[in-house]
Amino acid sequence: MSEILLDVSHLEVRYGDLIGVSDVSLSVKRGSVVALLGSNGAGKTTTLNAIAGLIPTSGGRVTFDGADMTSRPAFEIVRKGLALSPEGWRLFVQQSVESNLLLGATTVASSSKRRELLDKVYGIFPKLAERRLQQAGTMSGGERQMLAVGRALMSDPVLLLLDEPSLGLAPAIIESMYETLKRLHGLGLTLLLAEQAVDLALEISDEAVVLQVGRNAMSGPSHQLAHDPNVQKIYLGH
Ligand SMILES: Nc1ncnc2c1ncn2[C@@H]1O[C@H](COP(=O)(O)OP(=O)(O)OP(=O)(O)O)[C@@H](O)[C@H]1O
Ligand SMILES: [Mg+2]
């Protein structure tokens, strides 16, 4: 089993004539936490969505668990063990919490396995169990974030991609979300985390990659980047 679980090499994504990312490379070791940092529009979401197969790539290569998954259909990537908790949650707001969770398990064929995963997610997020019959659209921001992460967990991933799990949440809620992410990592999940909350992301991660206008600007061990003044400068777009 290779030590590298995910390898992204010279990724390029275009939105018509516009460039989403022009040259992004990163690798994620099995069992590690990697932070993908960068200011507004740096290319974090584009990178995660391209890795997850939600948008097509125009250049570069994505290798996941030893297989070339570049521009493979999303369901195939999910089935192989990669799940994304997307920016803005993308929930079905008219549907119940439990229906939303089950939509994350469409690649899981066995109904007893789906039940098992549901119980596991409810164990991780007891709030979701309390609200299982409630419409997703009536939940608070923190609960919706839990639901987005919970839905991603329903495919039983080995690698979880998280797109700004702290966005728009109150500090106490962010803290509890990060405690949960640490717990998930403790349970054996590998994490790739896009964040604007640079301090939090560097604290939880082993390695970090900083993007600037669609390409790598810096990368290295998070504890080193945490003390590097250039990170803050890039982040602030100076
Ligand atoms: N659907 C789209 N159509 C056209 N351009 C887009 C689209 N989505 C993103 N872009 C552009 O691609 C670039 C990268 O954006 P992206 O959303 O990936 O950045 P980000 O780092 O996730 O930013 P944020 O922190 O605001 O979420 C930006 O220039 C953005 O304007
Ligand atoms: Mg984004």
Side-chain angles (χ1 to χ4, degrees):
M1 217 163 40
S2 156
E3 197 200 0
I4 301 295
L5 182 58
L6 175 73
D7 188 69
V8 176
S9 169
H10 301 296
L11 181 73
E12 184 192 275
V13 176
R14 288 167 182 274
Y15 296 103
D17 290 340
L18 301 170
I19 297 273
V21 296
S22 54
D23 191 0
V24 172
S25 296
L26 61 93
S27 69
V28 179
K29 293 191 188 99
R30 212 174 279 277
S32 70
V33 180
V34 174
L36 185 60
L37 307 175
S39 58
N40 273 329
K44 304 180 296 297
T45 298
T46 301
T47 300
L48 294 190
N49 286 350
I51 294 170
L54 299 178
I55 50 173
T57 59
S58 48
R61 197 178 147 102
V62 177
T63 310
F64 175 56
D65 205 5
D68 185 353
M69 299 305 281
T70 320
S71 295
R72 301 302 305 161
F75 74 88
E76 215 178 281
I77 297 173
V78 171
R79 191 172 286 159
K80 206 168 155 46
L82 185 154
L84 167 69
S85 171
E87 185 176 72
W89 316 313
R90 300 215 201 139
L91 301 171
F92 290 88
V93 291
Q94 312 263 26
Q95 296 195 30
S96 70
V97 166
E98 189 153 299
S99 303
N100 273 276
L101 288 175
L102 287 169
L103 283 166
T106 48
T107 56
V108 180
S110 134
S111 64
S112 62
K113 179 73 182 170
R114 284 200 296 272
R115 187 69 244 173
E116 191 187 301
L117 286 162
L118 205 49
D119 288 341
K120 189 171 158 191
V121 169
Y122 285 151
I124 292 163
F125 296 112
K127 259 273 167 49
L128 296 183
E130 280 169 32
R131 310 257 156 125
R132 51 187 281 269
L133 301 177
Q134 194 171 316
Q135 259 191 9
T138 64
M139 311 249 287
S140 70
E143 289 161 352
R144 289 185 203 206
Q145 183 61 61
M146 285 177 202
L147 185 49
V149 174
R151 183 185 50 189
L153 293 175
M154 286 296 293
S155 63
D156 201 13
V158 291
L159 174 62
L160 178 60
L161 273 46
L162 297 135
D163 198 346
E164 301 213 38
S166 72
L167 194 69
L169 306 184
I173 312 284
I174 294 173
E175 205 173 300
S176 106
M177 177 51 69
Y178 267 73
E179 284 309 314
T180 305
L181 296 184
K182 283 182 194 160
R183 231 176 102 205
L184 292 173
H185 178 235
L187 291 171
L189 260 187
T190 304
L191 304 178
L192 174 59
L193 172 75
E195 264 296 2
Q196 287 211 38
V198 59
D199 295 338
L200 264 178
L202 287 175
E203 191 205 305
I204 197 178
S205 58
D206 304 298
E207 309 265 336
V209 176
V210 188
L211 302 183
Q212 194 175 23
V213 284
R215 47 176 64 234
N216 287 47
M218 289 180 81
S219 57
S222 300
H223 64 90
Q224 274 178 23
L225 294 189
H227 298 110
D228 191 327
N230 291 319
V231 173
Q232 300 289 348
K233 274 192 204 154
I234 289 170
Y235 228 70
L236 295 168
H238 299 315

